[in-house]
Amino acid sequence: MRKFYSISIFLISLALVAFGVWIVFNPTVSLRVFTLSIGILLLIHGVVEMISFVEQRKIWNISFIFLVNGLLSFVVGGITLFVPDLAEQTFVYIFAIWLLLSSLIQMYAAFSLRDVRGWGWLLAVGVIIFVFAIASLLSKMTVAFVVSLSFGLYFIVQGIGLFVIWLLLRRVTRRTIYRD
């Protein structure tokens, strides 16, 4: 059993690193997977909200807004799954506008903290986010690149973590063998 577990962890760690590298070099696919994942989550959320409204409205005074929220989530999730190109573009613009507003708030906060040492770092981060927001508004590929880089690095780091666990398990297994 230990050997099977050890081999499984090793193979999963290699697969995660390979998948992470593949994601980094395929930003368009990463953005599509991210968009479809959001669509599935919205669809599930919509169904749960609608069922909850129908079942719970008799037990306690639940607002009609829960049903509207469920219907809206269901519709947006369905549109996301059936028209992913439109959803991608919409999500990219929402993300870019959120980044733009976030960067402006960050820069405002930096200027309001001018008397505090290190306020320039906060301003620099705000400016970098602002530049990225503008680039995101101009190009869907900028967002796709960031999404793929984020997902890819996540899987690579997880794979490296499992590889380290595999190395530690091998070390523990060898010590156990030598003690017996």
Side-chain angles (χ1 to χ4, degrees), residues 101-119:
L101 294 174
S102 178
S103 70
L104 294 174
I105 291 168
Q106 184 130 2
M107 288 188 285
Y108 175 77
F111 282 120
S112 66
L113 295 170
R114 279 189 306 240
D115 298 336
V116 178
R117 184 174 179 217
W119 73 275

Side-chain angles (χ1 to χ4, degrees), residues 49-67:
E49 286 288 312
M50 290 185 293
I51 290 172
S52 296
F53 173 79
V54 171
E55 289 184 358
Q56 298 299 316
R57 72 174 183 201
K58 296 173 187 168
I59 299 169
W60 50 303
N61 190 14
I62 193 167
S63 174
F64 186 70
I65 293 174
F66 281 96
L67 179 61

Side-chain angles (χ1 to χ4, degrees), residues 1 3 15 19 27 29 31 36-37 42 44 51 54 85 87-88 93 97 107 116 131 138 143 148 156 161 164 169:
M1 184 67 173
K3 190 170 190 157
F19 185 62
V29 174
L31 184 60
L36 293 176
S37 299
L42 285 171
I44 292 169
I51 290 172
V54 171
D85 290 330
E88 273 180 23
Y93 283 125
I97 291 168
M107 288 188 285
V116 178
V131 169
L138 298 175
V143 175
S148 69
I156 291 168
V164 169
L169 282 175

Side-chain angles (χ1 to χ4, degrees), residues 20-102:
V21 169
W22 183 82
I23 286 175
V24 167
F25 290 106
N26 291 292
T28 318
V29 174
S30 301
L31 184 60
R32 178 60 52 105
V33 168
F34 183 70
T35 302
L36 293 176
S37 299
I38 289 173
I40 291 168
L41 289 173
L42 285 171
L43 206 61
I44 292 169
H45 176 261
V47 169
V48 168
E49 286 288 312
M50 290 185 293
I51 290 172
S52 296
F53 173 79
V54 171
E55 289 184 358
Q56 298 299 316
R57 72 174 183 201
K58 296 173 187 168
I59 299 169
W60 50 303
N61 190 14
I62 193 167
S63 174
F64 186 70
I65 293 174
F66 281 96
L67 179 61
V68 172
N69 185 37
L71 286 169
L72 185 63
S73 291
F74 186 79
V75 168
V76 171
I79 290 170
T80 301
L81 293 177
F82 291 110
V83 191
D85 290 330
L86 173 67
E88 273 180 23
Q89 200 62 39
T90 304
F91 291 158
V92 164
Y93 283 125
I94 290 170
F95 179 71
I97 291 168
W98 171 72
L99 279 177
L100 188 64
L101 294 174
S102 178

